Amino acid sequence: MDPLEAAETEYLATRVVEAEATGDERALEAALRPRTLDEVVGQERVREQLALVLEAARGRGRAPDHVLLSGPPGLGKTTLAMIIAAEMGSPLRLTSGPAITHAGDLAAILSGMNEGDVLFVDEIHRMSRPAEEMLYMAMEDFRVDVVIGKGPGATAIPLEIPPFTLVGATTRAGLLPGPLRDRFGFTGHLEFYEPRELDLIVNRSAGLLDVALTDDGSAEIASRSRGTPRIANRLLRRVRDYAQVRADGVITLDVARRALELYEVDESGLDRLDRGVLDVLCRRFGGGPVGVSTLAVAVGEERETVEEVAEPFLVRSGLLARTPRGRVATPAAWRHLGLAVPRQQQVLFDPDDSV
């Protein structure tokens, strides 16, 4: 079994609509990533702004300003970091915030940088505080002070760093300290994708994977991808498997629907966990309000799983509301489950509507 097949097997057991990627899945994504800004689908405003920043830097013959990319997982922050390095013709160094636990870890990375290099730090908000404070000076003055020894005999040795570009990615921009945010010359926030944009991404990925699919089949996958390219590509691979084993290899509308039904992804992109939360909330607790801990026990999941995995998409889809008293199902949630909307829920969310 080659490495790509091994990686494919490894992540099959993960949640098919999970926006985060495992280490093994990143190897599968590499072949589908756009290589230039022109190949990127969607994010028009960020692409245009970033193209201007890079072109101006090339014209001056200098490294671009530091770049901060924020937004939910799976929208292309790592891809844009790779494109920045490729557009500038510079090497890319990759690391992550959790991997930098000490200032010495960051100093070791920075000491190996060459002029014009691009350093990508994923989940930058999770860096340790000592490393974060060292990064301030590195970003602004292109130098760091390396402390040798301890106590009264400690000596600070200044280390000059060639001008470089830091690209930081974060899913929680609010956790970044103000001094760190202020040192980024460009900040781009990535938005969820529209179905038409995901349709283009699915078609592009299908071409790279040599998968035959119809326009209807592509649109069906895109419509269930929760506005996230990573999920769209994952669903494409799962539907491809179904088409290969149980059909003639072509992804049609019917094949896509049957495959996604098998993987328990419904027309709105909800999976078993999402529907389980709504079902328990509506059928067992009358639509709420109910505390998240009680809801998690009823679903048979950990509180963190319900709160961090299921709830964000349900809230964004208008199916669930977080209130001071607990979680409440919206009228849309009742309708999604095929249930009549109780009068108290209808009045709570839309008092002008008649029941």
Side-chain angles (χ1 to χ4, degrees), residues 169-203:
T170 177
T171 56
R172 305 181 70 180
L175 295 183
L176 282 178
L180 180 56
R181 279 199 309 271
D182 294 343
R183 283 170 168 78
F184 286 98
F186 172 78
T187 300
H189 181 76
L190 275 60
E191 305 285 350
F192 286 102
Y193 289 64
E194 296 296 326
R196 59 177 179 79
E197 296 170 336
L198 291 171
D199 195 0
L200 294 174
I201 291 172
V202 169
N203 275 283

Side-chain angles (χ1 to χ4, degrees), residues 241-253:
D241 295 345
Y242 184 95
Q244 176 185 331
V245 175
R246 298 190 180 180
D248 60 1
V250 178
I251 299 177
T252 62
L253 175 61

Side-chain angles (χ1 to χ4, degrees), residues 52-66 84-85 87-90 114-118 139-142 162-166:
L52 187 62
V53 169
L54 298 180
E55 185 175 349
R58 284 195 298 268
R60 293 191 299 267
R62 300 180 59 184
D65 287 342
H66 303 301
I84 290 172
E87 295 273 354
M88 297 304 299
S90 304
N114 297 314
E115 185 170 354
D117 283 1
V118 176
M139 294 173 68
E140 201 162 43
D141 302 327
F142 296 109
F164 70 98
T165 298
L166 173 69

Side-chain angles (χ1 to χ4, degrees), residues 78-275:
T78 302
T79 296
L80 285 179
M82 293 179 173
I83 288 175
I84 290 172
E87 295 273 354
M88 297 304 299
S90 304
L92 177 68
R93 310 286 183 95
L94 293 97
T95 186
S96 65
I100 304 175
T101 57
H102 305 286
D105 298 333
L106 180 62
I109 294 171
L110 294 174
S111 63
M113 300 287 288
N114 297 314
E115 185 170 354
D117 283 1
V118 176
L119 174 62
F120 176 59
V121 182
D122 196 12
E123 295 299 306
I124 193 170
H125 63 272
R126 296 176 62 188
M127 285 180 60
S128 67
R129 181 54 59 88
E132 195 176 89
E133 293 173 351
M134 175 180 283
L135 190 58
Y136 296 161
M137 185 179 296
M139 294 173 68
E140 201 162 43
D141 302 327
F142 296 109
R143 74 180 184 90
V144 294
D145 291 333
V146 180
V147 179
I148 306 297
K150 295 182 178 180
T155 304
I157 300 176
L159 175 65
E160 298 295 327
I161 304 168
F164 70 98
T165 298
L166 173 69
V167 180
T170 177
T171 56
R172 305 181 70 180
L175 295 183
L176 282 178
L180 180 56
R181 279 199 309 271
D182 294 343
R183 283 170 168 78
F184 286 98
F186 172 78
T187 300
H189 181 76
L190 275 60
E191 305 285 350
F192 286 102
Y193 289 64
E194 296 296 326
R196 59 177 179 79
E197 296 170 336
L198 291 171
D199 195 0
L200 294 174
I201 291 172
V202 169
N203 275 283
R204 177 183 178 276
S205 298
L208 294 172
L209 295 172
D210 195 23
V211 175
L213 80 168
T214 65
D215 291 343
D216 288 344
S218 172
E220 187 68 16
I221 294 172
S223 68
R224 304 192 190 200
S225 298
R226 301 163 75 118
T228 306
R230 175 175 291 149
I231 295 176
N233 286 328
R234 188 185 295 138
L235 293 181
L236 173 63
R237 290 192 291 266
R238 300 285 65 78
V239 177
R240 173 200 59 184
D241 295 345
Y242 184 95
Q244 176 185 331
V245 175
R246 298 190 180 180
D248 60 1
V250 178
I251 299 177
T252 62
L253 175 61
D254 182 59
V255 168
R257 285 177 174 172
R258 283 188 280 132
L260 294 171
E261 181 181 354
L262 175 65
Y263 287 106
E264 299 183 286
V265 180
D266 69 17
E267 294 83 355
S268 300
L270 275 63
D271 71 348
R272 179 198 57 80
L273 174 61
D274 301 320
R275 290 191 301 276

